[in-house]
Amino acid sequence: MLFPRMNILSMHLLNAVRRSVFQLAVQDGMKRGVFLVMPSKVMMHRTLFLSACLNKNTAPDTTEKLDLDGWKHVMRTAVQEESSEGTSDSEEDSRVAATRELIEMWRLSGKAVPENISEEQLKILMDSPTKSSKKKYLQFLAKKENMKKAAKEKKKQKAAKTEISPEAQDYVAGELKNTFLLKFWSRSEDAIYNWRAAQAMIFGQPLVFDMDYENCMSRREMENAVKQLMESEGINRRGKDPFHLHYCNLKTGGLYHKELIRRYGDAWDNLFVTVTEKAYNEIFPRDQIVYLTADSPNIMKKFEHDKIYIIGSLVDKSIQTGVSLARAKRLNLATARLPLDKYLQWEEGAKNLTLNQMMSILLTLKDTGDWKDALQFVPRRKHAGFMEMSLSKDQIDAWKKTKMHERTVGKEKSHRSFAGNSSRWQVQKKWWEDVS
Amino acid sequence: MIFSIRTSNCVLQTLLKNYGMFCPMLRPQQLPTTFGCFLFTTPYQRAKSVDPKALHPAAAMWHSKEREEGKGERRSGKDWSSPRPFNLFAAGASKKRAVLHDAFSSGEQPIISSKKMTLSPPERPLSAEEWEKMMGDFVGTKKFEDCMFEQMIVHNSPVDVAKSLLAAVAKRDGDIGYGLLVKYLVLCVSQKQTKEIYDIHDIMKVRFKTLDTSGSSLLIKGLSDSQRWREALILLEEMKKVIIPSKGNYGDCIRGALANQEISIACKLFHEMLGKDVTPKLETMQIFFDTGKCINDASFKSELISILNYLRDNQVYPGEAFMQSIKQWFESIPGENWKGNLTPVKNSGQCPSCEKFLESINLSAEEYDILKNKIIKDVIQGTDTFRKTTPQELEVFQTFVSQRPPFDIVIDGLNVARVCHKNNPSQTLLDVVNHLAQQNLRLLVLGRKHMLNGSRQWNRNNMAAMQKKADFFFTENVSEDDPFLLYATLHSGSHCKFVTRDLLRDHKACLSDSLTRRLFFKWQRGHQIVLSNYTPGKRIKFEPVLNFDTIVQTTGDTWHIPYDDNLLERSSYEVPTKWLCLQQK
């Protein structure tokens, strides 16, 4: 039974009531109370009885305010946020200001954007051509910012944990011990590594990084490449028997050079690495050079100690097939690729590895010559384990077939190439025979 | 509310399933939960009917089976199916192939990712205290209000429920964040709550200096359908300061302008978006034609004709609904007496309904030259000639081709040889070469040098027998042979065809501009012969080459417009098979 007093109900509120009534009818016939209050502070109290059975959960006596549009009033009376107005009216400045405002609004709407953005980053952002590239870059910056924050937080917590009470400190300092060595600092470690690196500079086997890929890379890829190079150099320095690294074709003042100097800082001039603008074919005899590239038709059988291996320092996230092979072809150099398929049950991902992975693999090969040992540096997500060398070819084929089956069943399949693909399962004598 | 939507949905679904009728609609499940892209776009720029598969995979399979049978029946009567024998570039071909070539046809249901529903929005507005209580029970990483609003959007809750939450938040904090307002706006726009949209618009204008992209897009969408549609235009201007508005933003504004008979504004916006290289949605262009039915105005007519020319120039094909709008518009032009028929087109290129022949697929002389030079520049040489071949090899090949009279057919040896897995590849190639040589055609076979080494696969005798019948060119083992195939065919002239099953998509992608890509695709459709059927020692069958171009075209008193069938998924390297034929009686 309803006792409405229409004369003071706005149509809108009536709608609200109707809707809820309708829903009650549809739902479960529970008894509910809807209390509506007008700004004029006239109290309305209505109770609905839709069924004979009373629900014990609702207390019909409670009087509540349910003012649905009140928030609008709250919002309107709130003051507009003050934002710094750029005084200059030039086109460029207004664009910068507008971009900053857009970022701020994106942040308010809960998108992944950084809180602080530097002038340099803003310039990069303005130069990105599309909306999606802008968003991607902002997302990247936001991620970076979050990681920095998290690291800071961790540091704080660690500092709080390791704070030793003063009396305990005295105790530690007061205790005298007999030791054969002073505490072994990382300084001494560095000295040892540097001696080794210096030795390698004189007697070591050369390993060349070909730095001639500046114009094949985007800004992000370039930064990643420099990071990987630094990792490789570090891995090499810590190795038992380091290579003598050469950075060839490194243009002074080029993007690569600038980025390396920016990342290394003062350490750049103290590196035990040969950096040169010359090409590798000017420094080494051509018949000793082997260019390592995943596109090469030749499989590397074993590591040879009298060869000079070349790694193209290229990060190609958009897999650029044949770029490094083309370079080797131009200079008529020998090429080779790692025997990944021979030793690993490859599952997914491209067969081009990162520079630091290559470095680790080559160092291990140089020390032990054991492929299994060396290929442990291939990311585990890319393969299902090592090949049992005793397996017959048929068994391998059968395994591959089941793999294919597992992969295809229960998935929406992509369009296959028109040429049937079962040829993929035939044992390939030569890699190119099925490519047409 | 939800209940009623659901039921109507079910009814529509069944209607769809049984009659294949098309009706665009929103399902509550389909409402996007991300707010940056509250623009309903579909891939390939066409309206897609709701996929029954999404709900009943089994039903979908039965449905397609039924369609197949239906096709068979229809074929015996009226030829509604795509022209047979099946063409490589006909819409739906790749889908068919995928089914045919499936070694393991998966009859399993697609795995539906079940998202954990942590919250379900209440059915009625709650008071602030009740919301507080709910908030207290909520455990999650994100803020309660955000989660709740997202769920409301998913469930398409009544706006009053959302309002009560906003009221609760306002009571607690004395303010409501921009993010929540945008989420609330999503709800209002999807339910077309015009009054609420006005209010939010006014509040946002007062409170915030600028809006973000999703906020602006939603407001534009909401305001365009209302009396205050002109304010959507102002918002669009604001957007332009920082980024290029999307096709959805432009589309909404154009819709608003056309709904209010502001033809000149709509046309201006349309040209502006074309100028900014924004591809208009098919729906946007459709609205122009729908509006055109009630307007008899010469300048607007020329606008619509220019839209048809845009479709032609960019090889865009209308969907079924758009096609119907075009048809109705033509038939509504007073005094011109247009008559539209839907028809497939025979392989001969003659339209069954008006007996006229469609445009030839052959390129004009200058188009041919452009394509030839681009192929050499972009595909063969690219940034580095060494990537696909070597300069020396290219030179050797060019002299080889130029010293011989033009060829009639160029064969991709390796591709053809691998057509039949059971057969020896050299035997397959020999059969095909013999078959073609019988017709007195000048043949060129392209291969790689390893074919000459004499192995079990590449039998020396077979190779020798072939070399008597055809010219051969063997590239280096590390070179690509496809670019040579393209060059040799183009060099021989427009009568020359090539044989391969390769779709040549990667080579098409090497071309630098879209115009050349379209030229390449046209040339490919007219010059590629596909070995469709090969049984060793018995039959060799080639797919016929289409000799008409599938493109929007006119002869003045006729229009032929190819269109996309709603139920056939077309890949980007295929063309539609159904046509709208318009003629003036």
Side-chain angles (χ1 to χ4, degrees), chain A residues 23 72 106 418 432 435, chain B residues 97 123 199 213 384 448 450:
Chain A
Q23 282 201 348
K72 289 181 187 170
W106 267 338
F418 197 17
W432 58 76
V435 185
Chain B
R97 281 201 305 272
E123 301 290 342
D199 283 349
T213 42
D384 187 352
R448 287 207 181 96
H450 75 258

Side-chain angles (χ1 to χ4, degrees), chain B residues 14-28:
Chain B
T14 41
L15 279 176
L16 260 176
K17 231 166 33 201
N18 297 339
Y19 305 106
M21 74 180 219
F22 170 74
C23 51
M25 59 181 188
L26 291 181
R27 294 199 314 234

Side-chain angles (χ1 to χ4, degrees), chain A residues 190 274 324:
Chain A
D190 284 345
T274 303
S324 49

Side-chain angles (χ1 to χ4, degrees), chain B residues 28 50 128 207 212 218 252 275 376 439 446 455 484 490 513 521:
Chain B
V50 174
R207 276 300 311 278
D212 80 321
L218 284 163
D252 289 333
I376 294 173
Q439 302 168 32
L446 287 167
S455 58
F484 292 115
L490 280 165
D513 60 308
F521 186 38

Side-chain angles (χ1 to χ4, degrees), chain B residues 162-174:
Chain B
K163 271 188 193 173
S164 74
L165 178 54
L166 285 178
V169 174
K171 196 172 159 186
R172 191 189 62 195
D173 303 342

